[in-house]
Amino acid sequence: MNYFNVGKIVNTQGLQGELRVLSVTDFADERFKKGNKLSLFDEKEQFVMEVEIASHRKQKNFDIVKFKNLYHINDVEKFKGFSLKVAEEDLSELEDGDFYYHEIIGLDVFEGQELIGQIKEILQPGANDVWVVERKGKKDLLLPYIPPVVLEVDVKNHRVNVELLEGLDDAD
């Protein structure tokens, strides 16, 4: 079974079993909704257990979650550094034009017919995502995911068509 990362547990929060999670999903409210099941993986990416969300709230840049039946700091302290993942079968259908991170990472990026590189990472600095494009012989290109730059995403053909606006590629 395939699993996809939705967050990393960075610390405990208080004494009542809450955990501070650094989210790596655009769908945090859906993923951490009460009753949802996620899988817990240790630092070595080994499956540990399935957990059910008992509560979720936002605090600053973190998602604060509590798992069902784990209501004390002593129950959850050992999970610091662990990852929360969603099983592939639990992914919901997206609307046209929406994509999961795992569908974007690894796609080839083209401007016209010229291959620029391959998407290796997605950053979430603020208003829009930034796709990190790994290029041969040049430093990585930071590509904002905005309409004038990203023209078409074709997951089926493993291709992203872009138009590099002036100033985006400072490696030239």
Side-chain angles (χ1 to χ4, degrees), residues 141-153:
L141 174 67
L142 300 178
L143 202 61
Y145 181 57
I146 54 176
V149 175
V150 178
L151 304 175
E152 179 187 24
V153 178

Side-chain angles (χ1 to χ4, degrees), residues 39-102:
S39 297
L40 200 55
F41 284 77
D42 66 16
E43 293 97 335
K44 295 176 183 163
E45 292 299 313
Q46 298 297 313
F47 176 83
V48 176
M49 63 190 280
E50 187 174 84
V51 293
E52 184 177 327
I53 304 295
S55 68
H56 168 250
R57 62 187 168 91
K58 289 269 199 199
Q59 185 178 37
K60 297 183 183 174
N61 292 336
F62 298 100
D63 288 274
I64 308 299
V65 299
K66 186 186 280 195
F67 301 139
K68 187 176 179 184
N69 299 324
L70 299 171
Y71 298 119
H72 193 272
I73 188 172
N74 294 339
D75 298 330
V76 297
E77 204 166 24
K78 60 187 173 243
F79 300 144
K80 282 196 272 187
F82 285 22
S83 297
L84 289 168
K85 300 187 181 208
V86 62
E88 186 171 27
E89 64 194 28
D90 293 332
L91 295 178
S92 51
E93 287 293 317
L94 298 178
E95 295 178 22
D96 281 346
D98 288 341
F99 311 96
Y100 286 112
Y101 284 0
H102 71 271

